[in-house]
Amino acid sequence: MDAWRFEAAVDAAAAAPPGQALEHLENALALWRGPAYAEAAADAWVRAERSPDRAAAAGRRAAGTGPACPRAGRRGRALDAHVAEHPWREEAWRLLALALYRAGRQADALAVLRRARAMLADRLGVDPGPRLRRLEADVLAQDPRPDPPAEPVTAAARLWTRAAEAYDRTVAAGARSRLESTVGLLRNLAVTGGSGLAAAREHRLAAVTAAEEFGDPELIARVIGAYDVPAIWPRSDDPEQARQIVAAAERTLTALPDDTAHEVARCRLLATIALEMRGTRSPRGPQAAREAEETARRLDDLTLLAFALNGAFMQSCTRAGLAPRRDVIGEELIALAARHGLVNFEVLGHLIRIQANSALGDFTTADEHPAAADALAERHERPLVCVFTHWYRALRLAASGQRARAGTAYRAAARLLDGAGMPGVEHGLLPLARLCLHLADATTPASRAAAHIDPAADTDWGPYAPWAEPFVLLRTGRHADARARLHTLPEPPADLLYEVLCCLHAALTLELGDQAALQTLRTRLQPASGELAGAGSGLVTLGPVDHWLAALGTT
């Protein structure tokens, strides 16, 4: 009976205003006198029922419910005690740091977070989880609305366990419905970020392979097309897996009847091909994107159109100067997603408009969208969104010439990428951002920017290595080697950093004198005249494209 009363009081606290919530939590904890179920301590079922809920309730009581709590003055001492009692609980550290920051003690909050990071690394060999990393980034960025506490999920967790058990008992192990349910689970898992996104990526191809074993093209099409997870970054996290999924989608398109009954399935397969061929230069990607969008519009299926528009966005980086097209896509996504409750695509639309308007130098419009995206992410538990909004805020500082503050903001934003499950975004990005900060625009010599490269920190340039390594060689005075590398630079990939890599090539050309490359670079950059180089990524910039065109044209 006490256990039921405890659960009821904790659930009541979740729905109550601050003062009443604290009272409910104190009443719940007052029921706890010594070990739980002591008279049945030897029974196996007791282990699953014991103290996790008590520790969570104690943490929430220690934290109060925000600065407005009438007993907020006791929170610091209570949280110190809670951390001492539960030193391995990340949530205890997070609550203490959050309370210190809200009390105006930023330095103390950072000290707590760094102590937590060191303890977890030294004693357990693990990195802090996403909520601790996000709070650290918020504190470093002096965010006025730092990391809001997660909603209690005790009742939801119990429901999940019971429903999963019932499903496992009821649905046959080899049923097709299990496979389709698995894809739905992976789709939801992907938007949780971190290990969830990595797990979804790991198991997605296995789901497609399992569907192909049934030999039913309609089932395969449903399994492939159901994974309509919005994507904002046109560089694949796993290029080999993307290639295999495209191949499976193409096989299924060939096997499906070409009739009106299968138009939706064919459209989803085409949108998948457009998404998975991101960053490539094959004409098949843009072709699939066009066909998917045309089909979705003809069918007047707005959910399908949102998915198809994501494919169109992914194929809108085939050359420089396509930011206006991307802005139109973002605007349409926001409008249709808001009307039809497609939260993931509404968030995607806001992120696209941040990028596109940054490229166009319209920061007044771009600034309208981070708060909207963050609000949706907070309400619907989409933790990866803050990665892109934090990087955008660092870009804003860089674009306004605040180099030191931008450098700090970039380091904080990079911490959010650590463990976020997005290697296609993370790999090499922080060193690239630092190089762009010091190069800034066409007026800075490449050798001066190269002097700021930190040989201890800037070691892994990831996919940007071909464009960064000549700068590294310049830093050590190896001009002949840098010139030799310059002659081998390929055209940049078809993604949102196309203009940045073209400008890095231009900076090296201007420094080292490669006349043969001048016209090629002018041709590549000319369509982006009037834009900010690279700002369409929402991450970094190298100043106005027109300055680079002028420098290339007068050499």
Side-chain angles (χ1 to χ4, degrees):
M1 295 296 293
D2 280 347
W4 297 341
R5 292 189 185 105
F6 173 82
E7 290 179 358
V10 170
D11 289 344
Q20 294 177 23
L22 194 58
E23 184 176 347
H24 284 303
L25 289 171
E26 289 179 341
N27 289 339
L29 290 165
L31 295 169
W32 210 285
R33 305 181 190 92
Y37 307 105
E39 67 280 8
D43 293 345
W45 65 270
V46 169
R47 287 193 293 274
E49 294 288 341
R50 271 186 166 170
S51 61
D53 283 349
R54 183 199 184 198
R60 286 169 56 199
R61 177 185 65 177
T65 52
C69 175
R71 279 170 272 188
R74 293 159 38 190
R75 291 170 66 219
R77 292 189 300 275
L79 284 166
D80 275 328
H82 187 56
V83 168
E85 186 178 355
H86 303 284
W88 311 118
R89 287 183 176 271
E90 290 191 34
E91 182 66 2
W93 291 97
R94 189 191 70 82
L95 290 169
L96 176 56
L98 186 61
L100 290 168
Y101 180 70
R102 285 175 170 169
R105 297 166 59 185
Q106 181 187 18
D108 291 336
L110 283 172
V112 165
L113 290 165
R114 286 163 183 164
R115 199 161 75 244
R117 179 183 288 272
M119 186 207 67
L120 290 168
D122 293 345
R123 304 290 181 86
L124 302 181
V126 298
D127 292 325
R131 296 202 75 195
L132 267 186
R133 294 199 305 272
R134 175 174 177 173
L135 179 58
E136 185 175 13
D138 286 344
V139 172
L140 283 167
Q142 298 184 358
D143 194 323
R145 299 174 63 250
D147 187 41
E151 291 296 319
V153 292
T154 305
R158 290 196 295 270
L159 174 62
W160 170 268
T161 300
R162 292 164 187 165
E165 289 172 350
Y167 189 94
D168 205 38
R169 288 193 306 269
T170 307
V171 181
R176 297 182 179 203
S177 59
R178 275 188 179 255
L179 186 55
E180 294 188 64
S181 297
T182 298
V183 176
L185 180 63
L186 294 178
R187 181 179 58 197
N188 292 330
L189 193 60
V191 298
T192 65
S195 59
L197 177 56
R201 190 165 54 245
E202 176 186 351
H203 298 302
R204 182 189 176 194
L205 184 58
V208 174
T209 302
E212 288 193 300
E213 290 176 359
F214 283 95
D216 180 351
E218 294 186 12
L219 173 65
I220 300 168
R222 289 198 300 273
V223 168
I224 293 174
Y227 194 85
D228 55 354
V229 178
I232 186 65
W233 193 244
R235 179 186 290 277
S236 178
D237 290 319
D238 188 337
E240 176 55 27
Q241 183 186 91
R243 187 193 63 77
Q244 293 183 56
I245 289 172
V246 167
E250 296 282 22
R251 288 193 297 270
T252 309
L253 274 173
T254 302
L256 277 177
D258 189 7
D259 55 26
T260 56
H262 295 87
E263 280 191 300
V264 170
R266 296 181 70 84
C267 183
R268 285 189 166 273
L269 290 170
L270 287 164
T272 299
I273 290 169
L275 278 161
E276 296 302 329
M277 294 192 76
R278 69 186 83 175
T280 68
R281 293 205 170 275
S282 167
R284 178 53 172 157
Q287 178 193 36
R290 284 193 302 272
E291 290 183 26
E293 184 179 350
E294 289 168 2
T295 302
R297 291 191 189 281
R298 187 177 69 253
L299 295 174
D300 197 25
D301 185 328
L302 296 182
T303 301
L304 195 59
L305 179 58
F307 188 23
L309 286 173
N310 197 176
F313 165 74
M314 282 297 175
Q315 295 298 328
S316 66
C317 306
T318 51
R319 62 168 175 82
L322 291 174
R325 164 66 175 145
R326 294 194 289 272
D327 194 38
V328 169
I329 292 173
E331 188 172 24
E332 184 173 8
L333 274 173
I334 292 170
L336 73 86
R339 285 199 309 270
H340 296 277
L342 306 175
V343 173
N344 291 335
F345 287 104
E346 187 177 358
V347 170
L348 176 65
H350 285 295
L351 295 181
I352 290 173
R353 295 213 71 196
I354 289 171
Q355 295 172 340
N357 284 284
S358 296
L360 298 171
D362 183 1
F363 287 112
T364 300
T365 301
D367 285 343
E368 296 172 3
H369 296 280
D374 283 336
L376 286 166
E378 179 182 327
R379 190 180 317 132
H380 298 282
E381 298 177 335
R382 301 293 187 266
L384 290 179
V385 173
C386 73
V387 172
F388 295 98
T389 55
H390 274 72
W391 273 89
Y392 168 70
R393 292 180 180 110
L395 163 66
R396 287 287 280 116
L397 293 169
S400 63
Q402 300 180 65
R403 187 177 299 171
R405 290 186 63 197
T408 300
Y410 276 135
R411 288 192 295 273
R415 291 190 184 97
L416 293 178
L417 271 173
D418 182 19
M422 296 187 290
V425 182
E426 179 184 10
H427 199 193
L429 184 57
L430 183 57
L432 178 69
R434 283 200 285 255
L435 178 58
C436 290
L437 264 184
H438 292 293
L439 186 58
D441 58 36
T443 65
T444 307
S447 55
R448 186 186 303 170
H452 291 279
I453 292 175
D454 184 346
D458 300 330
T459 56
D460 185 2
W461 294 92
Y464 314 113
W467 294 269
E469 284 170 357
F471 285 89
V472 176
L473 293 169
L474 280 180
R475 183 186 176 279
T476 55
R478 296 164 63 188
H479 288 67
D481 291 337
R483 189 174 292 107
R485 293 289 182 92
L486 180 60
H487 293 315
T488 65
L489 283 182
E491 181 175 10
D495 61 27
L496 290 171
L497 287 169
Y498 180 84
E499 292 94 335
V500 159
L501 299 183
C502 285
C503 290
L504 291 181
H505 191 167
L508 293 165
T509 298
L510 294 168
E511 177 89 15
L512 298 171
D514 183 355
Q515 293 297 317
L518 290 178
Q519 183 56 48
T520 298
L521 289 168
R522 281 197 296 266
T523 301
R524 289 176 182 174
L525 286 170
Q526 185 61 51
S529 176
E531 297 184 9
L532 290 180
S537 65
L539 309 176
V540 300
T541 184
L542 281 174
V545 170
D546 287 344
H547 291 181
W548 290 97
L549 290 171
L552 290 168
T554 57
T555 300

Coordinates of all heavy atoms in Angstrom, one line a residue, residues 440-478:
A440 N 38.6 34.1 -42.1 CA 37.6 35.1 -42.1 C 37.0 35.5 -43.4 O 35.8 35.5 -43.7 CB 38.1 36.4 -41.3
D441 N 37.9 36.0 -44.4 CA 37.4 36.5 -45.7 C 38.6 36.6 -46.6 O 39.7 36.2 -46.3 CB 36.6 37.8 -45.6 CG 37.5 38.9 -45.0 OD1 38.7 39.0 -45.3 OD2 36.9 39.8 -44.2
A442 N 38.3 37.1 -47.8 CA 39.3 37.1 -48.9 C 40.4 38.1 -48.6 O 41.5 38.1 -49.3 CB 38.6 37.5 -50.2
T443 N 40.3 38.9 -47.6 CA 41.4 39.9 -47.3 C 42.5 39.3 -46.4 O 43.6 39.9 -46.2 CB 40.9 41.1 -46.6 OG1 40.3 40.7 -45.3 CG2 39.7 41.7 -47.4
T444 N 42.3 38.1 -45.9 CA 43.3 37.4 -45.0 C 44.2 36.5 -45.8 O 43.7 35.6 -46.4 CB 42.6 36.7 -43.9 OG1 41.7 37.5 -43.2 CG2 43.6 36.1 -42.9
P445 N 45.5 36.6 -45.8 CA 46.4 35.7 -46.5 C 46.3 34.3 -45.9 O 46.1 34.1 -44.7 CB 47.8 36.3 -46.3 CG 47.5 37.7 -45.9 CD 46.2 37.8 -45.2
A446 N 46.4 33.3 -46.7 CA 46.3 31.9 -46.3 C 47.4 31.6 -45.2 O 47.1 30.9 -44.3 CB 46.4 31.0 -47.4
S447 N 48.6 32.2 -45.4 CA 49.7 31.9 -44.5 C 49.4 32.4 -43.1 O 49.8 31.9 -42.1 CB 51.0 32.5 -45.0 OG 50.8 33.8 -45.3
R448 N 48.7 33.6 -43.0 CA 48.4 34.2 -41.7 C 47.3 33.3 -41.0 O 47.4 33.0 -39.8 CB 47.8 35.6 -41.9 CG 47.6 36.3 -40.5 CD 46.9 37.6 -40.7 NE 47.6 38.5 -41.6 CZ 47.2 39.7 -42.0 NH1 45.9 40.0 -41.7 NH2 47.9 40.4 -42.8
A449 N 46.3 32.8 -41.7 CA 45.4 31.9 -41.1 C 46.1 30.6 -40.7 O 45.8 30.0 -39.6 CB 44.2 31.6 -42.1
A450 N 47.0 30.1 -41.5 CA 47.7 28.8 -41.2 C 48.5 28.9 -39.9 O 48.6 28.0 -39.2 CB 48.6 28.5 -42.4
A451 N 49.0 30.1 -39.6 CA 49.8 30.3 -38.4 C 49.0 30.1 -37.2 O 49.6 29.8 -36.1 CB 50.3 31.7 -38.4
H452 N 47.6 30.1 -37.2 CA 46.8 29.9 -36.1 C 46.4 28.4 -35.9 O 45.7 28.1 -34.9 CB 45.5 30.7 -36.2 CG 45.8 32.2 -36.0 ND1 45.9 32.8 -34.8 CD2 45.9 33.2 -37.0 CE1 46.1 34.1 -35.0 NE2 46.1 34.4 -36.3
I453 N 46.8 27.6 -36.8 CA 46.5 26.1 -36.6 C 47.2 25.6 -35.4 O 48.4 25.8 -35.3 CB 46.8 25.4 -37.9 CG1 45.9 25.8 -39.1 CG2 46.8 23.9 -37.7 CD1 46.3 25.1 -40.4
D454 N 46.5 24.9 -34.6 CA 47.1 24.3 -33.4 C 47.5 22.9 -33.7 O 46.7 22.0 -33.8 CB 46.1 24.4 -32.2 CG 46.7 23.9 -30.9 OD1 47.8 23.3 -30.9 OD2 46.0 24.1 -29.8
P455 N 48.8 22.6 -33.8 CA 49.2 21.2 -34.1 C 48.8 20.2 -33.1 O 48.8 19.0 -33.4 CB 50.8 21.3 -34.3 CG 51.1 22.5 -33.4 CD 50.0 23.5 -33.5
A456 N 48.6 20.6 -31.9 CA 48.2 19.7 -30.8 C 46.7 19.4 -30.9 O 46.2 18.2 -30.6 CB 48.5 20.2 -29.4
A457 N 45.9 20.4 -31.2 CA 44.4 20.2 -31.2 C 43.9 19.9 -32.6 O 42.9 19.1 -32.8 CB 43.8 21.4 -30.7
D458 N 44.4 20.6 -33.6 CA 43.8 20.4 -35.0 C 44.5 19.3 -35.7 O 45.3 19.6 -36.7 CB 44.0 21.8 -35.7 CG 43.2 22.9 -35.0 OD1 42.2 22.6 -34.4 OD2 43.7 24.1 -35.1
T459 N 44.2 18.1 -35.3 CA 44.9 16.9 -35.9 C 44.0 16.1 -36.8 O 44.5 15.5 -37.7 CB 45.5 16.0 -34.8 OG1 44.4 15.7 -33.9 CG2 46.5 16.8 -34.0
D460 N 42.7 16.1 -36.6 CA 41.8 15.3 -37.4 C 40.9 16.2 -38.2 O 39.9 16.7 -37.7 CB 41.0 14.3 -36.4 CG 40.2 13.4 -37.2 OD1 40.2 13.4 -38.5 OD2 39.4 12.6 -36.6
W461 N 41.2 16.3 -39.5 CA 40.4 17.2 -40.3 C 39.3 16.5 -41.0 O 38.5 17.1 -41.7 CB 41.3 17.9 -41.4 CG 42.3 18.8 -40.8 CD1 43.6 18.5 -40.4 CD2 42.1 20.2 -40.5 NE1 44.2 19.6 -39.8 CE2 43.3 20.7 -39.9 CE3 41.1 21.1 -40.7 CZ2 43.5 22.0 -39.5 CZ3 41.3 22.4 -40.3 CH2 42.5 22.9 -39.7
G462 N 39.2 15.2 -40.8 CA 38.1 14.4 -41.4 C 38.0 14.6 -42.9 O 39.0 14.6 -43.6
P463 N 36.8 14.7 -43.4 CA 36.6 14.8 -44.9 C 37.2 16.1 -45.5 O 37.3 16.3 -46.7 CB 35.1 14.8 -45.1 CG 34.6 15.2 -43.8 CD 35.5 14.8 -42.7
Y464 N 37.6 17.1 -44.6 CA 38.1 18.4 -45.1 C 39.6 18.4 -45.2 O 40.2 19.4 -45.6 CB 37.6 19.5 -44.1 CG 36.2 19.4 -43.8 CD1 35.8 19.1 -42.5 CD2 35.2 19.5 -44.8 CE1 34.4 18.9 -42.2 CE2 33.8 19.3 -44.5 CZ 33.5 19.0 -43.1 OH 32.2 18.9 -42.8
A465 N 40.2 17.2 -45.0 CA 41.7 17.1 -45.0 C 42.3 17.6 -46.3 O 43.3 18.3 -46.3 CB 42.1 15.7 -44.7
P466 N 41.8 17.2 -47.5 CA 42.4 17.7 -48.7 C 42.6 19.2 -48.8 O 43.6 19.7 -49.4 CB 41.5 17.1 -49.8 CG 40.9 15.9 -49.2 CD 40.7 16.3 -47.8
W467 N 41.6 19.9 -48.3 CA 41.6 21.4 -48.3 C 42.4 22.0 -47.2 O 42.9 23.1 -47.3 CB 40.2 22.0 -48.4 CG 39.5 21.6 -49.6 CD1 39.5 22.3 -50.8 CD2 38.8 20.4 -49.9 NE1 38.7 21.6 -51.8 CE2 38.3 20.4 -51.2 CE3 38.4 19.3 -49.1 CZ2 37.5 19.4 -51.8 CZ3 37.7 18.2 -49.6 CH2 37.2 18.3 -51.0
A468 N 42.5 21.3 -46.0 CA 43.2 21.8 -44.9 C 44.7 21.5 -44.9 O 45.5 22.3 -44.3 CB 42.5 21.2 -43.6
E469 N 45.1 20.4 -45.4 CA 46.5 20.0 -45.3 C 47.4 21.0 -46.0 O 48.5 21.2 -45.4 CB 46.6 18.6 -45.9 CG 46.1 17.5 -45.0 CD 46.1 16.1 -45.6 OE1 46.4 16.0 -46.8 OE2 45.7 15.1 -44.9
P470 N 47.1 21.6 -47.1 CA 48.0 22.6 -47.6 C 48.2 23.8 -46.6 O 49.3 24.3 -46.5 CB 47.3 23.1 -48.9 CG 46.5 22.0 -49.3 CD 46.0 21.4 -48.0
F471 N 47.2 24.1 -45.8 CA 47.4 25.1 -44.8 C 48.3 24.6 -43.7 O 49.2 25.4 -43.2 CB 46.0 25.5 -44.1 CG 45.1 26.4 -45.0 CD1 44.2 25.8 -45.9 CD2 45.2 27.7 -44.9 CE1 43.4 26.6 -46.7 CE2 44.4 28.5 -45.7 CZ 43.5 28.0 -46.6
V472 N 48.2 23.4 -43.3 CA 49.1 22.8 -42.3 C 50.6 22.9 -42.9 O 51.5 23.2 -42.1 CB 48.7 21.3 -42.0 CG1 49.7 20.7 -41.1 CG2 47.3 21.3 -41.4
L473 N 50.8 22.6 -44.1 CA 52.1 22.6 -44.7 C 52.6 24.1 -44.8 O 53.8 24.3 -44.5 CB 52.1 22.1 -46.1 CG 51.8 20.5 -46.2 CD1 51.5 20.1 -47.7 CD2 53.0 19.8 -45.6
L474 N 51.7 25.0 -45.1 CA 52.1 26.4 -45.0 C 52.6 26.8 -43.7 O 53.6 27.6 -43.5 CB 51.0 27.3 -45.5 CG 50.7 27.5 -47.0 CD1 49.5 28.4 -47.1 CD2 51.9 28.1 -47.7
R475 N 51.9 26.3 -42.6 CA 52.3 26.7 -41.3 C 53.8 26.4 -41.0 O 54.4 27.1 -40.2 CB 51.4 26.0 -40.3 CG 51.6 26.4 -38.8 CD 50.8 25.5 -37.9 NE 51.1 25.8 -36.5 CZ 52.2 25.3 -35.9 NH1 53.0 24.5 -36.5 NH2 52.4 25.7 -34.6
T476 N 54.2 25.3 -41.5 CA 55.6 24.8 -41.3 C 56.6 25.3 -42.4 O 57.7 24.8 -42.5 CB 55.7 23.3 -41.1 OG1 55.1 22.7 -42.3 CG2 54.9 22.9 -39.9
G477 N 56.1 26.2 -43.3 CA 57.0 26.7 -44.3 C 57.2 25.8 -45.5 O 58.1 26.1 -46.3
R478 N 56.5 24.8 -45.6 CA 56.7 23.8 -46.7 C 55.8 24.3 -47.9 O 54.9 23.6 -48.3 CB 56.4 22.4 -46.3 CG 57.3 21.9 -45.2 CD 56.7 20.7 -44.4 NE 56.6 19.6 -45.3 CZ 56.0 18.5 -45.0 NH1 55.5 18.3 -43.7 NH2 55.9 17.4 -45.8

